[in-house]
Each structure stands twice: as C-alpha cells, then as structure tokens.
Amino acid sequence: MFITKIVRANNRGISTMNNLTVEPNWSFGQAVFFAGTVLTTIGYGHVSPLSTSGKLFCIFYAIIGIPITLIMISACVERLLIITNKLYDKLKTFSIFYRNNSTINLKALTYTHLALVFVFVLVVFFLIPAAIFSSIEKEWNYLDALYYCFISLTTIGLGDYIPGDKNEQPYRAFYKIATTFYLIFGIMFVMLFISVLTQIPELNLAKLLSLEMETSSDPERQLLTSDAPTSSSYSRQIDEDDSLSINHSSRY
C-alpha cells in the first residue's frame, strides 16, 4: 500500500527521492512536449494522462491532431523538395558530371545529390543536436544523445532517454518546448531525405517489390491479371463505340 502511494505520487510529479517541492509533470513546458510527442506519434510514455477526462481528451486530440500534423509535415516536405530540386539543377552545371564534355553522368549526379541531402540531415539533425544534448544532459554521453536523436526522429520512441527529465534542470520549460520544435522539424527533414531517396528508381524498394510482384509466376496472380480488363482495352472499346456511333449518324 505504501509503495502504491509512492508510485502514484511520482506519476503526478512529486519527487520520492528528495524531500522538496518540485515542478509537476504537467507544467506548461511538459504539456507542450507531451502534445508534440502525441502529434508526431513518438509517444515516449513517460508521462500520460491519469484522469478519465484527460484520457478522453487525449483520444480526441490524437484523432484530430495526428492527421493534421501529418498533412502539414507532408506539405512542408513538398516545399522542401522544390529546394532540393534546385540543388539538383545547380549540380548539373558542374563539369565533373559530364563525360567527354558532352554526355552527363546521371548516376553520379543523382547519388551526389542524395549524399548532400543525407549529410545535411545527418549533421544538422543528428550530430549537432547530439552534441548539444550531451552537453546539457550531464548523465548522457555523446552516444546516448545520438541514440536519443535516432530513436526519436524515426518515431520509435522507446522512452529510455528523455531530455529535461531532471526537476532541478534550469530553464526546463524552455528546454522542453525547444526540444518539441526540434522533433517536429527533425522528422520533417528525415521524411525529406526519404522522399529524395525514393525518387531514385534503383533505391525505391516499394517500386522494386511491386515490379517483382507483377512479374511473379504465381498462377493465381496471372489468372487475376488475365481476367481483369486493362485500361488500354477499356479505352479502345470506348473509341470503337464512338466511331460506330459517328458512322451511324453520318448515314442519316
């Protein structure tokens, strides 16, 4: 019974290790951080609503907020793709991608463009933030911070490392809010890299798998594809019907 009370108190932000008054779990900064992890589907799980009304609100908030967040991030990625395409066009002007000053080496150009986007995302959203987190979080080394960045930006969200989890940390609310914006922009740029990656046919696994399925020797698949009318035959039938109707009307 005593242990149960301690766990309940700890869930509500009351320190069980120190005999002092600390910031509760549901401070403004912590609430913004929680909302960000819900909308981005990271969901660390270290803080969760305990009341019935809080749980109901979280359900409706996630139902409405997650699709809107995904749409917003996808729209931003489309805008960022315009910038990466301009970078691709700029790389075309470099003479190193031309063979005999006439034929362009598209493979080298494409992979160079992909490598530049990858290096930018790696440095700006993984390596530099990991150095910042490791300097702020005294119990984290650089590998721990890099691990946190990867687990968070891939939306795995194990919850074993949480920034700003120490009650005595200075500017904790600002730190939590800044981390929330980092997560949103980080996921956005990870999606940007994936979009650039899938634009390369050789690296688009979904396209390769679909091609393999189309060329499969499965008799059931062959039967379905042979029985299903293709779009070209359907359009050809429409054209034939139109031509017959025109000839019929011309007789009168």
Side-chain angles (χ1 to χ4, degrees):
M1 191 69 180
F2 178 70
I3 297 177
T4 303
K5 292 182 179 179
I6 292 177
V7 172
R8 289 178 179 175
N10 187 67
N11 289 336
R12 285 167 171 79
I14 301 174
S15 176
T16 58
M17 301 298 294
N18 301 317
N19 187 19
L20 46 84
T21 302
V22 297
E23 183 183 359
N25 279 349
W26 292 107
S27 63
F28 179 74
Q30 182 63 43
V32 172
F33 185 74
F34 170 79
T37 57
V38 170
L39 295 180
T40 55
T41 69
I42 297 175
Y44 293 120
H46 68 300
V47 174
S48 59
L50 299 176
S51 63
T52 302
S53 58
K55 293 175 182 178
L56 290 175
F57 174 77
C58 185
I59 292 173
F60 288 106
Y61 177 71
I63 290 175
I64 298 174
I66 291 176
I68 294 176
T69 303
L70 294 178
I71 292 172
M72 180 197 70
I73 292 178
S74 299
C76 292
V77 169
E78 290 181 359
R79 303 301 187 276
L80 291 172
L81 280 173
I82 298 175
I83 300 176
T84 59
N85 290 335
K86 290 182 179 179
L87 174 63
Y88 184 84
D89 294 335
K90 183 66 176 179
L91 291 175
K92 280 184 179 181
T93 61
F94 293 173
S95 60
I96 58 174
F97 297 110
Y98 288 86
R99 301 169 180 171
N100 301 325
N101 295 326
S102 59
T103 306
I104 188 171
N105 189 348
L106 287 177
K107 181 173 288 189
L109 175 63
T110 302
Y111 284 104
T112 301
H113 176 249
L114 177 65
L116 289 176
V117 176
F118 171 75
V119 170
F120 175 81
V121 174
L122 177 65
V123 172
V124 176
F125 292 97
F126 287 90
L127 300 183
I128 294 178
I132 296 174
F133 282 126
S134 62
S135 63
I136 296 176
E137 302 290 337
K138 302 303 180 182
E139 297 181 359
W140 295 11
N141 57 34
Y142 186 79
L143 180 60
D144 294 334
L146 185 62
Y147 166 81
Y148 165 77
C149 294
F150 176 81
I151 292 298
S152 298
L153 297 188
T154 53
T155 68
I156 297 173
L158 295 178
D160 46 352
Y161 289 92
I162 306 295
D165 221 24
K166 298 296 181 182
N167 294 316
E168 65 276 6
Q169 199 156 28
Y171 307 106
R172 189 184 181 198
F174 174 78
Y175 183 32
K176 286 285 189 180
I177 296 173
T179 304
T180 303
F181 281 99
Y182 158 74
L183 294 175
I184 294 174
F185 282 97
I187 292 174
M188 185 187 304
F189 276 85
V190 169
M191 290 181 61
L192 172 66
F193 170 72
I194 295 175
S195 299
V196 175
L197 180 70
T198 54
Q199 287 180 349
I200 304 175
E202 295 85 355
L203 301 179
N204 192 337
L205 295 180
K207 189 173 182 179
L208 291 175
L209 291 175
S210 64
L211 289 175
E212 290 180 0
M213 293 178 65
E214 290 177 0
T215 58
S216 173
S217 59
D218 186 2
E220 184 177 357
R221 172 173 287 276
Q222 292 179 355
L223 179 63
L224 291 174
T225 54
S226 62
D227 291 341
T230 60
S231 59
S232 59
S233 62
Y234 179 72
S235 61
R236 191 182 306 114
Q237 181 67 34
I238 293 176
D239 294 336
E240 290 175 357
D241 293 341
D242 291 339
S243 62
L244 289 175
S245 61
I246 293 174
N247 293 332
H248 182 72
S249 61
S250 62
R251 294 176 184 176
Y252 298 96

